[in-house]
Amino acid sequence: MKRVLIFDSGVGGLSVYQEIYAQLPHVQYVYAFDDAGFPYGELPEDVLITRTMHIVSLLVERHNIDLVVIACNTASTIVLPTLRSQLGIPVVGVVPAIKPAALISERKSIGLLATPATVKREYTNQLVSQFASDCEVYRIGSTRLVEMAEAKLRGIAVPMKELADILFPWQDKVDSIVLGCTHFPLIKDEIAEVFGSPVNIIDSGLAIANRVKALLGEIDYLRPGSAVNLTYNSAALNHHATLNQSLKGMKLEAIQSLNYPQF
């Protein structure tokens, strides 16, 4: 049975997991999130690389992983070269879906919604220059939206007035929104509701799932599902009763702690 590790700083990568699981339900999944280091957008790059390398390497060895997905835009722009040089298996990252947004935008006016670190990175500038040079690309970097998505999976309603205030600069300005953080598809419905008028909301989940499917090759899709899909976090304390209920609905086991240190 193929085994896939999906890694993120928080629960945002669950949006990617759901896309992959929909296509590959008979793969065994290990979902790991580094909540002791959350949010990654505020960590120094050397710390982010150290944390990611340690946790991913540990779980790859422990569970004989066939493929790793770094389901975090911030980490993907920083740590992929290091991971790929040290792991002997495929490593798939995520990037903001600038290219498809530019292709479908009729007004050539796009909003990039991501973390503060992602919207400022040179890598993001290169994506815009390469794929959306004919578009006006507006950017909002928000850690608060990450927190809203985390809270939603723990049973806390998204504060719609606050969300509307954050997105207000884009009202009547953009016709396409790129969700440049894997947390944001978790609040996609709320984002659409805030805009009211039709707007294209695009994320990278499906593209990642297609890439994973291609890399894993042929799988026996008719085999009955028997895998136990595991979940790990890095914080020592575990108060995730509501989140564990959400995970159960996604065919993931309750969270186990890796007890990775906070620094």
Side-chain angles (χ1 to χ4, degrees), residues 23-190:
Q23 293 202 38
L24 301 171
H26 303 310
V27 168
Q28 182 177 20
Y29 296 94
V30 177
Y31 184 84
F33 61 105
D34 185 15
D35 50 345
F38 178 87
Y40 267 17
E42 299 178 8
L43 289 182
E45 290 191 9
D46 60 334
V47 174
L48 191 153
I49 291 172
T50 298
R51 298 189 71 92
T52 303
M53 280 300 306
H54 176 82
I55 296 172
V56 169
S57 299
L58 173 68
L59 293 173
V60 165
E61 182 176 358
R62 180 182 295 180
H63 294 289
N64 194 25
I65 296 296
D66 296 292
L67 181 146
V68 174
V69 178
I70 302 300
C72 171
N73 291 81
T74 300
S76 291
T77 60
I78 296 170
V79 77
L80 286 185
T82 304
L83 277 174
R84 285 170 174 160
S85 69
Q86 297 192 27
L87 298 178
I89 57 175
V91 181
V92 177
V94 297
V95 297
I98 299 292
K99 181 178 180 179
L103 291 173
I104 66 173
S105 176
E106 295 182 358
R107 295 168 57 183
K108 296 303 177 183
S109 183
I110 298 169
L112 170 60
L113 191 60
T115 63
T118 297
V119 298
K120 295 176 183 176
R121 282 199 199 288
E122 181 56 32
Y123 185 81
T124 303
N125 294 335
Q126 292 172 2
L127 287 175
V128 172
S129 176
Q130 184 176 0
F131 298 116
S133 59
D134 61 339
C135 297
E136 190 72 40
V137 180
Y138 301 93
R139 309 184 195 196
I140 292 177
S142 174
T143 300
R144 181 66 185 117
L145 293 188
V146 178
E147 295 168 348
M148 289 180 188
E150 290 271 329
K152 180 180 177 180
L153 278 189
R154 290 172 170 82
I156 301 172
V158 175
M160 297 301 291
K161 174 62 167 61
E162 184 180 2
L163 178 61
D165 289 343
I166 292 171
L167 299 178
F168 178 77
W170 288 354
Q171 291 288 354
D172 302 318
K173 185 175 287 188
V174 303
D175 67 0
S176 301
I177 297 174
V178 177
L179 302 182
C181 171
T182 55
H183 278 81
F184 297 166
L186 299 173
I187 55 172
K188 183 176 181 178
D189 291 344
E190 288 82 358

Side-chain angles (χ1 to χ4, degrees), residues 17-25 29:
Y17 159 76
Q18 289 175 296
E19 290 278 8
I20 301 172
Y21 183 87
Q23 293 202 38
L24 301 171
Y29 296 94

Side-chain angles (χ1 to χ4, degrees), residues 218-256:
E218 293 297 323
I219 295 176
D220 182 2
Y221 295 100
L222 299 179
R223 180 178 52 202
S226 58
V228 175
N229 300 317
L230 305 173
T231 313
Y232 291 96
N233 76 324
S234 59
L237 298 178
N238 189 340
H239 301 297
H240 297 307
T242 305
L243 178 55
N244 280 333
Q245 284 299 115
S246 297
L247 294 173
K248 184 177 180 181
M250 299 180 195
K251 311 297 184 184
L252 284 161
E253 293 291 299
I255 297 165
Q256 304 175 57

